[in-house]
């Protein structure tokens, strides 16, 4: 059964607003199932589907998907009906579609009258998880548009499609949907936007279609369809996910050439079409390369304070950041393939919310079994002090507001990397670098908060059970950030939940503004050269304890209920009931823990 709660659609007479809404759904179905959209079919279909999802979410909030189908009495029924009527006409009037937008549609005859809907292609597209054909049928049946639940509108074929005209058409649809959203109070509009973001996050995180992810990226980047900053971040996540999927299967390493030109690791992206709108079975996308740099050009290396694995250096006279990765002899070939994939991922341009440096390339160390990831530093670095690990910055008295902003930014960064299909595997405060204005420089508005950069990617990999799990070197001062199941010899594959646990320890440090080492010293002394794993395993139960002697004892006092609950949620891996969606909100997908964390932290205003 579709999560839109079909059973909640009652059998009584449908309201006029509900009938008009059902007519809009019929229009979306006719347009979405029409054949022959052309080479841009996946993107155009995605643009259309996104507006259908936004309309359906609104309809639930407006009461149209309740038992009675009656419009919420707080809304202006006359205005709602007028907007829905205009939208229905825009979606169903093929003559207007042809005359105004130069988009032609023709009916498709079905040779066998007994052909069932099940034998016809579904609406499809990367967003098909958000609303099912069963739901669409039920809505139209309840509105009296069909006499049988199994009926569906006849099939159409696009006779003429111009991409720019189609985008203009979808932009007009979006304006009508936006007018309906604007009739809700601000709180419900915020809940609607949050729900849509969670749907898109789920789609990106679970999709295995490179073409579909690229279509979603283009849709979210299109200003007339989805203009928000959050959508730009999601577009970047969709692109990174597609790059990672391609790189993991297609990367080919080219050995370095004895010349000044860097050699490259190349990835060519291809995907089989899965919709009826594509004109070919294979859709080529962009090529990605990981540049193989020359280690001899790395000069003036200097370890940054608090993390000897990360260096400031110069490459070809340019200031860069270096992360070294050891290459074990027994698994070098497999690890090298992952290094190349990771370099491709980190070299892609990302939205600022990813908060990571761009990788220039990789440089094998000729004198040791290790390789360097070489990162560009931001242009604004001249106005900042050298980046320092968060662990060394836990001093002074930053305001609760600044600490909340810092926690939110780091959580957003991890969320987008997870959404893009990558695990960090080494989250700790020494791998969160902080940029602060340099001494004597005026503090600009954009510099008022602590600016984090996520680093320490040496052990990162795709989120896949088939990927081998490298074990970071044993170090008690780093092990305290790791989930108990991620210590010692790994008995199972590393999972996203273990990254989330480590993120929870960082949020605890930010909230208490003390190092984790000092917070756990009551139960374990990590200053010793060797600490038994059985002792380190006591850390998680201690951190989850909110009693007088537990790790969370004072966090609510210092940061408030929401922050403390989010931190505990990360450490436990369980979403508390207070953060679960209301039963009448009709969640499309099961909430992701990091989506919930970003939502709740973003609502904290101090």
């Amino acid at each position: 059964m579709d999560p839109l709660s079909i059973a909640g659609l009652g059998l009584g007479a449908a309201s006029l607003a509900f009938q008009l809404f059902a007519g809009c759904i019929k229009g979306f179905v006719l347009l979405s199932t029409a054949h022959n959209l052309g080479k841009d079919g996946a993107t155009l279909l995605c643009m259309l589907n996104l507006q259908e999802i936004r309309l359906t979410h609104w309809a639930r909030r407006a009461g149209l998907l309740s038992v009675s189908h009656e419009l919420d009495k707080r809304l202006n029924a006359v205005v709602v009906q007028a907007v829905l009527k205009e939208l229905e006409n825009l979606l169903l009037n093929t003559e207007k579609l042809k005359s105004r937008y130069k988009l032609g549609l023709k009916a498709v005859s079905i040779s066998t009258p007994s052909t069932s809907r099940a034998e016809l292609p579904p609406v499809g597209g990367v967003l098909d998880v958000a609303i099912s054909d069963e739901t669409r049928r039920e809505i139209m049946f309840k509105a009296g548009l069909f006499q049988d639940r199994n009926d569906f509108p006849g099939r159409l074929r696009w006779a003429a499609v111009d991409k720019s005209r189609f985008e203009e058409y979808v932009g007009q649809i979006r304006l009508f949907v936006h007018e309906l959203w604007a009739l809700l109070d601000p709180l419900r509009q915020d809940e609607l936007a949050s729900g849509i973001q969670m749907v898109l996050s789920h789609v990106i995180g679970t999709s295995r279609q490179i073409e579909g992810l690229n279509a979603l990226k283009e849709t979210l980047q299109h200003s007339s369809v989805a203009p928000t900053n959050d959508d730009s971040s999601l577009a970047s996540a969709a692109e990174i996910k597609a790059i990672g999927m391609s790189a993991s299967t297609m990367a080919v390493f080219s050995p370095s050439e004895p010349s000044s030109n860097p050699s490259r690791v190349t990835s060519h992206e291809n995907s089989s079409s899965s919709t009826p709108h594509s004109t070919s079975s294979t859709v080529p996308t962009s090529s990605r390369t990981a540049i193989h740099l020359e280690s001899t050009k790395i000069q003036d290396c200097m370890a940054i304070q608090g993390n000897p694995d990360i260096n400031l250096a110069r490459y070809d006279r340019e200031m860069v950041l270096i992360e070294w990765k050891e290459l074990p002899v027994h698994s070098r070939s497999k690890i090298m393939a992952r290094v190349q994939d990771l370099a491709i991922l980190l070299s892609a341009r990302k939205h600022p919310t990813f908060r990571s440096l761009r990788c220039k390339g990789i440089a094998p160390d000729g004198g040791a079994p290790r390789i360097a990831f070489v990162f560009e530093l931001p242009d604004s670095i001249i106005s900042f002090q050298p980046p320092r690990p968060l662990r060394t910055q836990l001093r002074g008295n930053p305001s609760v507001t600044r600490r909340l902003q810092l926690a939110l930014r780091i959580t957003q960064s991890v969320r987008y990397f997870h959404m893009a299909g990558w695990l960090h595997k080494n989250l700790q405060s020494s791998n969160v670098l902080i940029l602060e204005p340099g001494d004597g420089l005026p503090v600009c508005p954009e510099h008022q908060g602590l600016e984090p950069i996520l680093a320490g990617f040496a052990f990162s990999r795709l989120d896949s059970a088939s990927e081998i799990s490298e074990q970071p070197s044993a170090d008690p001062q780093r092990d305290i950030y790791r989930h108990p199941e991620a210590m010692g010899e790994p008995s199972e594959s590393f999972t996203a939940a273990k990254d989330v646990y480590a993120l929870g320890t960082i949020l605890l440090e930010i909230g208490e503004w003390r190092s984790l080492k000092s917070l756990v010293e009551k139960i374990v002394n990590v200053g010793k050269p060797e600490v038994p794993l059985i002792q380190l395993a006591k850390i998680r139960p201690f951190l989850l304890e909110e009693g007088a002697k537990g790790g969370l004892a004072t966090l609510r006092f210092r940061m408030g209920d929401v922050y403390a609950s989010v931190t505990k949620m990360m450490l436990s891996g369980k979403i508390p009931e207070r953060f679960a969606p209301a039963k009448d909100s009709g969640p499309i997908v099961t909430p992701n823990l990091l989506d919930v964390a970003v939502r709740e932290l973003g609502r904290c205003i101090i």
Side-chain angles (χ1 to χ4, degrees), residues 28 79 111 137 216 281 308 318 320 328 386 414 418-419 472 477 489 498 526 537 590:
F28 276 116
V79 174
S111 57
R137 283 196 200 95
L216 183 56
S281 61
E318 177 186 350
V320 295
V414 177
H418 278 201
M419 194 188 304
Q477 297 200 36
E489 289 299 320
K498 294 168 187 173
V526 296
T590 302

Side-chain angles (χ1 to χ4, degrees), residues 293-527:
L293 304 175
E294 298 177 29
S295 59
T296 56
K297 293 186 178 181
I298 299 176
Q299 299 177 338
D300 302 329
C301 278
M302 178 181 65
I304 65 171
Q305 179 187 356
N307 192 336
D309 296 333
I310 300 177
N311 296 177
L312 284 175
R314 293 187 182 278
Y315 185 86
D316 252 359
R317 301 180 181 179
E318 177 186 350
M319 187 67 74
V320 295
L321 198 77
I322 302 289
E323 286 190 30
W324 292 101
K325 178 176 178 61
E326 301 295 327
L327 297 175
V329 176
H330 67 278
S331 57
R332 182 167 183 171
S333 61
K334 289 184 178 180
I335 299 303
M336 195 63 201
R338 180 182 295 170
V339 165
Q340 295 154 15
D341 290 351
L342 181 60
I344 291 171
L345 168 78
L346 294 174
S347 68
R349 295 194 181 277
K350 294 175 280 293
H351 192 271
T353 48
F354 274 77
R355 299 191 174 275
S356 66
L357 300 176
R358 188 165 183 239
C359 183
K360 288 174 65 71
I362 51 179
D365 187 344
R370 63 176 186 169
I371 194 165
F373 289 91
V374 182
F375 293 92
E376 298 174 354
L377 287 170
D379 295 335
S380 58
I381 195 66
I382 57 172
S383 64
F384 284 89
Q385 298 176 5
R388 300 174 183 174
L390 172 61
R391 184 185 293 175
T392 68
Q393 302 295 93
L394 298 173
R395 48 187 167 74
N397 298 294
S399 68
V400 173
T401 300
R402 291 185 75 190
R403 284 182 284 148
L404 270 171
Q405 290 175 343
L406 177 61
L408 175 60
R409 289 166 180 170
I410 296 170
T411 303
Q412 286 175 325
S413 175
V414 177
R415 174 204 185 200
Y416 283 117
F417 272 103
H418 278 201
M419 194 188 304
W422 282 82
L423 303 176
H424 188 282
K425 291 195 63 189
N426 201 18
L427 286 173
Q428 51 189 281
S429 54
S430 63
N431 284 330
V432 176
L433 305 183
I434 301 296
L435 290 179
E436 287 190 300
D439 295 335
L441 290 171
V443 179
C444 302
E446 63 268 25
H447 298 164
Q448 288 179 352
L450 295 165
E451 296 295 331
I453 293 175
L454 199 60
F457 285 97
F459 294 95
S460 298
R461 66 163 174 82
L462 277 171
D463 185 3
S464 171
S466 62
E467 289 280 331
I468 61 172
S469 285
E470 291 179 83
Q471 185 65 15
S473 61
D475 180 347
Q477 297 200 36
R478 298 190 178 193
D479 281 341
I480 58 176
Y481 294 90
R482 295 181 183 126
H483 191 282
E485 295 175 1
M487 297 183 207
E489 289 299 320
S491 58
E492 57 184 45
S493 183
F494 192 92
T495 62
K498 294 168 187 173
D499 256 356
V500 172
Y501 171 83
L503 178 60
T505 65
I506 296 173
L507 260 64
L508 180 57
E509 285 184 306
I510 293 171
E512 294 287 350
W513 208 239
R514 292 169 56 196
S515 70
L516 189 62
K517 175 183 176 181
S518 68
L519 289 169
V520 302
E521 63 184 1
K522 296 177 183 178
I523 60 169
V524 60
N525 179 5
V526 296

